[in-house]
Amino acid sequence: MTERQKPSVLFICVKNGGKSQMAAALMRHHAGSAIDVHSAGTVPGTSLNAMSASAIEEVGASMDGEYPKPIDPALLRTVNRIVIIGNEAKVEPVSDMVGTIETWTIDEPSERGIEGEERMRLVRDEINEKVHRLAGELAST
């Protein structure tokens, strides 16, 4: 990466309506314009998850203007980091990729009987911790 290039990240989940959008919103919130941030889904849904958007707004971030979208093959080739959120989405490397793929396994509070807003806040907070670490890594490249 040359000095003039900004680091970039693509967050992916299945529907691109919740977790990957949360991660992207949190990264934009924390890194501002210092990191190019994208999100996509392997099988995009039709709308954003309202509880995800609400949980993000509670910490001052926003999903405004975002919508579920498919993976852009050009982004897979050009971003520095591809982060798959959860164990359901599967993404295969493509030729000429410059970045790396990693998977973030996220705790599912509903498996412990935690639902609704409390569930979404726990998911948001875990993603937020991982986003902070990643922002630091990307900033140092």
Side-chain angles (χ1 to χ4, degrees):
M1 183 166 45
T2 66
E3 286 185 43
R4 287 179 285 167
Q5 287 180 306
K6 283 196 288 187
S8 55
V9 62
L10 170 60
F11 293 105
I12 297 173
C13 66
V14 175
K15 293 183 181 179
N16 190 227
K19 293 174 184 165
S20 59
Q21 291 281 359
M22 292 174 85
L26 290 163
M27 182 64 82
R28 284 186 206 96
H29 179 66
H30 296 306
S33 62
I35 297 172
D36 285 332
V37 181
H38 309 275
S39 71
T42 55
V43 183
T46 57
S47 63
L48 296 179
N49 179 304
M51 276 197 212
S52 294
S54 177
I56 287 301
E57 289 172 3
E58 289 177 356
V59 296
S62 174
M63 293 183 188
D64 286 349
E66 292 298 323
Y67 58 92
K69 51 199 147 311
I71 298 168
D72 177 347
L75 282 175
L76 284 178
R77 287 184 177 84
T78 60
V79 295
N80 302 111
R81 197 75 63 96
I82 296 117
V83 178
I84 301 167
I85 301 182
N87 297 321
E88 295 174 353
K90 303 295 180 210
V91 177
E92 294 298 321
V94 294
S95 63
D96 302 327
M97 282 180 66
V98 297
T100 58
I101 298 175
E102 66 184 79
T103 300
W104 290 353
T105 301
I106 304 297
D107 176 56
E108 182 45 65
S110 65
E111 293 175 359
R112 297 187 311 279
I114 302 169
E115 299 290 345
E117 291 177 358
E118 183 181 2
R119 172 188 171 265
M120 202 55 63
R121 287 177 182 129
L122 290 169
V123 169
R124 175 203 62 208
D125 292 347
E126 182 176 354
I127 291 172
N128 195 34
E129 287 177 24
K130 293 175 183 292
V131 163
H132 269 291
R133 282 195 297 275
L134 178 59
E137 288 175 29
L138 290 173
S140 67
T141 59

